[in-house]
Amino acid sequence: MSKPKLITEDGIRTDGRRFDELRPIKMEVGVLDKSDGSAYVEFGKTRVFAAVFGPREVHPRHLSLPDRAILNCRYHMTSFSVEERKPLGMTRREVELSKVIREALETVVFLEEFPRTCIDIYIEVVQADGGTRTTGLTAASLALADAGIPMADLIAAVAVGKVDGQLVLDLNDIEDKYGEADMPIAMAPRFDSIVLLQLNGRISKDEFPRALALAKKGIMEIYKLQREALKRKYSATPQGGM
Amino acid sequence: MTLPLHSRKDLTARIMQEKIYSLLQQGKRLDGRGPRDLRPLTIQTNLVEKAEGSALVTMGGTKILTGIKVEVGTPYSDRPDEGSFAVNAELLPLASTTFEPGPPDERGVELARVVDRSLREGKAIDLKKLCIVEGEKAYILFIDIYVLDYDGNYYDPALISAMAALATLKIPRYRVVDGKLEKTDEYFTPELTALPFSVMIGVLGEKFLVDPQIDEEKVLDVSLIIGTDEKGNVVSIQKNSPGPVPMNLMDDIIELAWEKTQEIRRKFLETVPVKLAGE
């Protein structure tokens, strides 16, 4: 298939967005009963569940650490989440993404509060339409908060990319596939720090600062939605004395 | 509130971290380098006659061997006029006490995928030149990277060795006789179309260092591997460890990565014979 046109002359993208617009986002915490914390996050047609178990006992026990909890993370896509059926089990891509997502979360979780335990995070992508690792990380951070695990900050994530020569925010699948670059970024906004950064594609070094600024703008919007989602479940209105 | 990472290192690591940080404040490092100095680089090519391309690269105490085997296969249906390549990496148990026998763990997978991205997005080779018969036959390159000795930062020497093996690749030429593929006695070297190289940058406090040696790598706040091409494009990035990268350091990090990858490109061209397309 040849490359379709991704941005019109009027600057409109394939799904009707401008270059600096996020897709429609839905977030909900506490969506799965058996886990200690969970979240569902949707960015357009990208749909992801995340669940957290723990802190709980480590098996086998000799793997436990005397001074802090172990953080385990599995990023996984369902077989039907993509156009062509994904084989069962973990692909190399999923192994790599599990690692970088875990490392992003390790940056903010107070693991030393729970020595000799482990915290398990499972991310399931039920439909992939671009930005699954960033959506997964955004959901995982909410699930950790829902599980009551102390963190220095929530983590919000989004990809910026280059499509038809232009920098755009929050790539969808077709933009990722046919675009020139995909740069997923996650931040701990309170610390103005990047906790996940990857680049697949080409961005000239002169464009780089603009790409980062665009990502940060999107991340601040996502961060606000995350806090709102948590408040929807956890805020309490005083009922008055009885 | 501060990020929790600072208390995670054990006592010896914290002592080492303080030492490395105080050296950096004086513009020095454990092995006598300056913060922006790469370790000495050596590149030897054609070490393995049975491989169509090979290279042994040392960067300080880190030693990487890459071999390329070439097979003839069918092109992907969505790219009928292109050959393909696949990158694998193994962290061999003889290279470090922290590496174990068995299939590649997440570190090995990550190394292979980071090198793959740099080669692919850096457009190191023209895959169309690897097509033999459109839609039917094409060369497939298996680029296999082995870490032989690990003394910190295996990413950059791994990419250098893959590039050196590619630059000196000798592929048997095939011709079509009566609709069948026949191997000839001739060989060809596909020209490189760009020169992507990467550099690992470590952050400790507000200080940077490039190409960390293993004792440094263990105590860094965070590290990034950044790949560029010779035209000033950033072609790959991987933040490969937990920890925060302050947003306000990013511009300097990218500029430093450009400067150091240019230096690696110059050194590479001094030792490896390169046929660059369009020259």
Side-chain angles (χ1 to χ4, degrees), chain A residues 1 67-68 91-100 102-104 106-112 133 151-153 162 180 183 185 187-188 190-209 212-213 215-216, chain B residues 1-5 7-10 78 87-89 104-110 112-114 116-117 121-123 155 194 222 224 227 229 231-248 250-251 254-255 258:
Chain A
M1 197 174 132
D67 59 336
R68 63 179 148 108
T91 60
R92 280 156 45 107
R93 177 178 172 278
E94 289 167 313
V95 170
E96 184 204 345
L97 297 197
S98 298
K99 177 179 184 286
V100 292
R102 185 192 70 227
E103 290 171 346
E106 273 179 36
T107 313
V108 294
V109 177
F110 287 101
L111 296 171
E112 32 291 294
R133 87 196 69 179
M151 291 182 280
D153 199 0
K162 203 169 155 188
E180 295 100 83
M183 182 159 75
I185 304 178
M187 286 182 72
R190 284 180 69 184
F191 300 92
D192 199 31
S193 286
I194 296 169
V195 294
L196 176 147
L197 180 62
Q198 295 182 286
L199 167 66
N200 192 7
R202 303 149 74 84
I203 291 184
S204 81
K205 67 183 171 74
D206 305 324
E207 281 170 325
F208 205 83
L212 279 184
K216 189 171 166 180
Chain B
M1 192 187 298
T2 52
L3 288 165
L5 283 172
S7 54
R8 291 224 182 121
K9 316 264 190 243
D10 63 26
D78 56 341
V87 181
N88 266 292
D105 66 359
E106 60 176 23
R107 291 177 297 178
V109 170
E110 183 181 44
R113 288 180 55 85
V114 170
D116 183 293
R117 284 210 281 277
E121 300 299 339
K123 299 187 194 311
Y155 296 91
V222 65
L224 297 154
D229 67 8
K231 297 193 185 83
N233 293 307
V234 183
V235 298
S236 66
I237 300 181
Q238 182 86 341
K239 175 175 172 291
N240 76 319
S241 65
V245 186
M247 196 71 165
N248 59 9
M250 275 312 298
D251 292 352
I254 295 294
E255 204 45 53
W258 167 244

Side-chain angles (χ1 to χ4, degrees), chain B residues 10-173:
Chain B
D10 63 26
L11 191 61
T12 42
R14 265 184 276 172
I15 292 167
M16 189 56 108
Q17 188 175 41
E18 273 171 36
K19 183 174 177 188
I20 289 170
Y21 183 70
S22 71
L23 281 172
L24 280 175
Q25 284 180 314
Q26 305 160 45
K28 291 181 189 161
R29 287 167 78 172
L30 289 173
D31 55 9
R33 281 186 285 167
R36 301 161 78 99
D37 293 342
L38 301 165
R39 291 174 291 181
L41 175 69
T42 68
I43 308 171
Q44 271 174 279
T45 51
N46 300 317
L47 256 100
V48 183
E49 286 90 340
K50 299 215 168 176
E52 279 85 357
S54 62
L56 179 70
V57 166
T58 66
M59 215 161 150
T62 294
K63 197 185 286 271
I64 314 268
L65 177 64
T66 294
I68 304 181
K69 293 293 273 183
V70 180
E71 286 179 14
V72 174
T74 320
Y76 290 113
S77 56
D78 56 341
R79 294 173 184 273
D81 58 343
E82 290 183 4
S84 58
F85 68 84
V87 181
N88 266 292
E90 275 195 53
L91 310 178
L92 297 173
L94 56 70
S96 162
T97 52
T98 65
F99 299 165
E100 279 166 30
D105 66 359
E106 60 176 23
R107 291 177 297 178
V109 170
E110 183 181 44
L111 171 60
R113 288 180 55 85
V114 170
V115 172
D116 183 293
R117 284 210 281 277
S118 297
L119 293 174
R120 212 171 286 282
E121 300 299 339
K123 299 187 194 311
I125 47 170
D126 182 358
L127 294 174
K128 291 197 162 59
K129 297 272 159 66
L130 298 180
C131 182
I132 307 171
V133 182
E134 192 170 326
E136 288 178 26
K137 296 283 175 206
Y139 295 107
I140 304 168
L141 312 183
F142 291 93
I143 304 173
D144 295 329
I145 297 167
Y146 292 90
V147 180
L148 294 181
D149 222 345
Y150 170 49
D151 191 36
N153 181 25
Y154 43 60
Y155 296 91
D156 307 337
L159 180 56
I160 295 168
S161 68
M163 285 293 291
L166 274 176
T168 52
L169 196 60
K170 279 196 171 129
I171 304 181
R173 204 183 279 286

